[in-house]
Amino acid sequence: MSNWKRILRGMIGMGLTFAAVAGSLAALFAVFSLLFLGGGRELLILVVGSTMWSFMIGVVFSGALAFAARHLPLEKLSLPKVTGLGVLGGLAIFGLLAINGASAWTVDAAISNLVILTVLGGGAAAGSLLAARASPTLTAGDDALELEDGDLDRLESGRD
């Protein structure tokens, strides 16, 4: 598989990961609000919006990360730099929204959107790096006990 296809697949995967986590957190918040505070349609909009915008932030973030850190191993990525790339993803999505919807926003809505999208992007990026560092990886000489029957042949031949 060519390098750009792997990058594109990773960008979509990161977008889906961001969307799943943000959508789940928004759904938990919505359920809590429904049960204890009362609420209605705006909670559904919160869940759908969080999921949709998080997907786009994840795609932008991972594209920026693929470009900015293309030669760095995971251990060399700094948390502030990765968080900054996540904030950049949030700012990019805010910019797209502002181009299309700024005339309908109040000042409070614009500030809220800016804060929510940048915090969402930075937090998701930092969380992704911390989760990646916490998960075990195989290095040279490790036993690959988790491989299934056809995986070893596929890896040895260089096919994905």
Side-chain angles (χ1 to χ4, degrees):
M1 181 180 293
S2 66
N3 203 26
W4 69 270
K5 286 183 182 178
R6 288 182 185 171
I7 292 170
L8 185 59
R9 187 175 65 183
M11 289 171 65
I12 292 170
M14 185 62 74
L16 291 172
T17 302
F18 275 33
V21 171
S24 298
L25 291 174
L28 288 173
F29 176 75
V31 167
F32 177 81
S33 295
L34 278 172
L35 292 175
F36 299 108
L37 305 175
R41 182 173 173 228
E42 67 276 356
L43 294 174
L44 179 62
I45 292 170
L46 170 76
V47 174
V48 172
S50 302
T51 304
M52 182 177 63
W53 297 121
S54 295
F55 174 79
M56 292 184 204
I57 291 170
V59 169
V60 172
F61 158 71
S62 61
L65 183 64
F67 179 75
R70 61 187 167 274
H71 300 296
L72 295 175
L74 183 65
E75 304 82 38
K76 299 273 181 167
L77 295 175
S78 73
L79 188 60
K81 193 176 287 188
V82 170
T83 303
L85 289 172
V87 168
L88 179 70
L91 285 173
I93 299 305
F94 174 78
L96 288 174
L97 287 173
I99 289 170
N100 293 312
S103 61
W105 288 348
T106 64
V107 173
D108 290 342
I111 292 171
S112 295
N113 287 333
L114 176 65
V115 169
I116 289 168
L117 291 171
T118 55
V119 169
L120 185 63
S128 296
L129 179 62
L130 294 173
R133 286 182 177 169
S135 58
T137 58
L138 289 176
T139 57
D142 289 346
D143 288 332
L145 298 176
E146 309 253 333
L147 292 177
E148 298 192 15
D149 292 336
D151 289 346
L152 189 57
D153 295 333
R154 183 177 51 81
L155 289 172
E156 289 175 343
S157 67
R159 294 181 312 230
D160 269 332

